[in-house]
Amino acid sequence: MSPSLYSVRMRASYHGQHLTGAERIVPQAEVSEVTAALTERAMTCPGELADEIQCSVEKIDPTTVLYAQLPDLSTYIAPDWQAGHRVASCLLARAGVQPEIATRAVALLASGAGPGGTVMRGALIMDASSGKRLEADPARGVRVSRMDLSPECRSALESDLAAAGLGHHRVLEALVLAGKVLGAPGIVAELCWSDDPNYTIGYVADPQAGYQRISDLKLAGDSCGGRVFFIDQAKTSLEELVDYLECQVVLFNASGTISTAKKWIPADE
Ligand code: AMP
């Protein structure tokens, strides 16, 4: 009989402001160790010291787990953030997002997509052909949850990413999140860059091309960032999409390819 699985989730805040969060899906025997590791991560995250850390542990019904393969990873080089924005718009258009919607979405993330130009806590959902925003709460957005790597896949991926010079935990975690998003009903593409002022790399992901990193999407020191999920409303309802993103347990048990070749977008595209 396979061991019981648990979802372990942590989020830390300071004066009610979200600082950091992380989650894992692990066998019962690892729950205590992983809860301690996530708490340690909250206590040592750069910036303000957390004044509230919430950890939740929830048993998973094994019959509901969806097993999947991670997307392929590639990297586009942009000489500066302006070029990075053009690369992102171009990759989104290739994925099927209307070109002017893609450009508008990139500018929206750069200016802060939450109320009053703030950074959202989760992702905004946008219709890929009309640009209409669909998330119910424009400050919170939608938070993708309940996804992880199987233990064998985690150790293989960690060593493959390290060998490719991509050992930063952000790459692995974003790849897992994007992997879950790309399996969502009606998904056309995802755009992301971090609100961490020290991390200027982001990505565009789509079901055909996979997870495409972009070397520069903002200036160092800029604390704007966020995520946009572009969808085709003819292929899903918002309710079905949000239920999948928040609740469906997805465990990745196979990696995609990791390409170290550097790619450029042709100037005329
Ligand atoms: P990060 O890469 O963790 O810095 O996150 C970048 C942005 O993505 C954040 O500012 C949020 O807007 C959004 N985000 C972070 N975590 C999630 C998540 N689990 N689900 C949806 N959006 C997220």
Side-chain angles (χ1 to χ4, degrees):
M1 205 176 72
S2 52
S4 300
L5 289 174
Y6 284 77
S7 162
V8 183
R9 303 197 293 279
M10 172 281 288
R11 58 198 177 96
S13 56
Y14 173 73
H15 288 192
Q17 283 288 105
H18 176 80
L19 287 179
T20 187
E23 64 173 87
R24 298 286 312 279
I25 294 170
V26 292
Q28 181 184 345
E30 288 176 32
V31 167
S32 309
E33 183 192 333
V34 167
T35 307
L38 293 184
T39 309
E40 173 69 12
R41 180 161 158 178
M43 291 302 289
T44 53
C45 97
E48 297 291 353
L49 180 60
D51 58 13
E52 186 175 348
I53 301 169
Q54 293 181 357
C55 282
S56 70
V57 179
E58 177 189 272
K59 191 170 182 193
I60 287 169
D61 173 355
T63 63
T64 63
V65 177
L66 198 67
Y67 289 90
Q69 176 170 5
L70 283 170
D72 294 342
L73 178 153
S74 57
T75 300
Y76 280 85
I77 300 301
D80 53 37
W81 66 266
Q82 291 93 334
H85 284 194
R86 286 195 295 278
V87 171
S89 300
C90 177
L91 294 178
L92 289 169
R94 282 185 189 174
V97 178
Q98 280 300 314
E100 66 279 12
I101 305 293
T103 310
R104 220 195 301 154
V106 171
L108 184 62
L109 274 200
S111 60
T118 50
V119 174
M120 294 172 69
R121 297 197 296 284
L124 77 89
I125 300 180
M126 187 174 275
D127 183 291
S129 48
S130 71
K132 187 168 186 274
R133 282 178 75 159
L134 303 167
E135 74 283 1
D137 177 345
R140 177 181 182 274
V142 175
R143 300 269 314 167
V144 187
S145 184
R146 298 180 172 82
M147 63 279 171
D148 201 352
L149 300 154
S150 68
E152 307 72 39
C153 187
R154 175 173 289 273
S155 51
L157 183 64
E158 278 174 350
S159 55
D160 289 352
L161 287 175
L166 301 171
H168 198 296
H169 68 84
R170 281 185 173 283
V171 180
L172 183 142
E173 289 173 7
L175 188 58
V176 170
L177 195 155
K180 178 165 182 190
V181 172
L182 294 184
I187 197 79
V188 174
E190 178 189 357
L191 165 68
C192 168
W193 70 87
S194 178
D195 51 299
D196 178 341
N198 299 312
Y199 197 74
T200 59
I201 303 170
Y203 65 87
V204 166
D206 78 69
Q208 284 74 40
Y211 177 90
Q212 305 164 101
R213 300 169 69 243
I214 301 171
S215 65
D216 278 272
L217 280 167
K218 66 179 190 181
L219 268 181
D222 178 353
S223 50
C224 261
R227 279 187 158 86
V228 185
F229 302 156
F230 297 91
I231 66 160
D232 177 350
Q233 286 193 85
K235 296 196 176 142
T236 188
S237 68
L238 193 58
E239 194 185 8
E240 178 192 31
L241 174 73
V242 172
D243 182 66
Y244 166 88
L245 292 171
E246 292 181 344
C247 304
Q248 173 65 54
V249 178
V250 179
L251 260 187
F252 292 95
N253 56 4
S255 298
T257 57
I258 295 171
S259 165
T260 50
K262 294 180 171 43
K263 294 179 163 184
W264 279 266
I265 295 274
D268 57 348
E269 224 183 307

